[in-house]
Amino acid sequence: MSDCILFVGLGNPGSQYEGNRHNVGFMIIDAIAKAVASSSFKKAASFAEISSFTLDNHKILLAKPLTYMNLSGRAVRFLRDFYKIKSEDIFVFHDDIDLEFARVKIKKGGGNGGHNGLKSIDSLIGQNYWRIRIGVDRPPEKSMVASYVLHDFEPEEAIHISQISTKISDSISLLLSNPKQLEQELNAK
């Protein structure tokens, strides 16, 4: 593992998107920043809002791309290149409509599952990075996907997402040392 590790939350910038299912990645990054009493976010060029903290002799860089979901790869590549981070030290938190609500899957590499943010990242840095998939369920019809992911979580769903965000932010060391164990703990009922 390199000296600098990048945690990226996928989402769309702007207050109108804050509670959207598509912004679950931003929500997790915000929870991590709050848990570590991190300094406030600042802009890295026009590509992302970033913050950082140190854990176990690693600098952890938190990032929320400002490029909008479909162009997330631009921000990830910029940060990877600027901070000289290995792709295998990049962790991307994102929504997944193919997982049941609040289920979490963690793995390195793999396909993008039709997720436009991941497609953008894959096209610019390859697939050798960690994906932390947060289930948001699937709408009843395929034609409803775009509006569904750009809709806010229902209040009871938002509570569950907040709990997952807290568990992840309290388990950063475990995410880095044993991602599969963290996945099991997050999915334990």
Side-chain angles (χ1 to χ4, degrees):
M1 200 166 278
S2 62
D3 291 337
C4 191
I5 297 165
L6 176 60
F7 285 1
V8 179
L10 297 189
N12 289 310
S15 59
Q16 70 272 33
Y17 299 109
E18 280 179 10
N20 288 183
R21 289 176 176 88
H22 228 13
N23 272 39
V24 73
F26 277 19
M27 294 171 196
I28 291 170
I29 293 297
D30 286 338
I32 294 170
K34 184 177 175 185
V36 297
S38 182
S39 61
S40 60
F41 285 88
K42 61 183 180 185
K43 286 189 178 172
S46 61
F47 290 101
E49 290 184 345
I50 60 169
S51 186
S52 65
F53 65 99
T54 303
L55 178 72
D56 302 331
N57 296 319
H58 298 291
K59 178 180 181 175
I60 311 285
L61 186 67
L62 304 175
K64 298 188 294 184
L66 296 173
T67 51
Y68 289 90
M69 181 65 77
N70 295 355
L71 300 175
S72 297
R74 289 182 182 177
V76 174
R77 183 178 62 188
F78 171 80
L79 294 168
R80 181 200 66 177
D81 294 350
F82 186 82
Y83 290 96
K84 297 174 179 43
I85 301 169
K86 296 178 201 160
S87 292
E88 59 266 21
D89 291 334
I90 297 173
F91 293 77
V92 176
F93 299 85
H94 65 91
D95 62 301
D96 192 315
I97 61 170
D98 291 325
L99 285 178
E100 67 183 76
F101 177 75
R103 186 136 182 90
V104 179
K105 288 283 192 181
I106 303 172
K107 74 176 208 169
K108 186 164 71 168
N112 59 50
H115 192 287
N116 289 330
L118 296 181
K119 283 181 190 176
S120 176
I121 295 169
D122 290 354
S123 72
L124 293 171
I125 72 161
Q127 298 178 326
N128 192 32
Y129 60 91
W130 288 92
R131 299 133 199 268
I132 299 87
R133 301 165 45 206
I134 314 300
V136 297
D137 269 338
R138 174 178 283 283
E141 296 178 31
K142 189 174 183 172
S143 64
M144 300 169 67
V145 169
S147 63
Y148 178 78
V149 297
L150 293 175
H151 186 268
D152 286 356
F153 285 109
E154 297 299 326
E156 60 277 1
E157 291 175 326
I159 291 168
H160 287 294
I161 294 300
S162 178
Q163 292 168 342
I164 290 168
S165 299
T166 299
K167 286 179 185 176
I168 290 172
S169 64
D170 291 343
S171 305
I172 299 303
S173 291
L174 185 58
L175 174 61
L176 298 177
S177 65
N178 193 341
K180 282 299 173 188
Q181 182 181 338
L182 177 58
E183 178 183 303
Q184 290 172 348
E185 290 181 14
L186 289 169
N187 292 319
K189 300 292 181 202

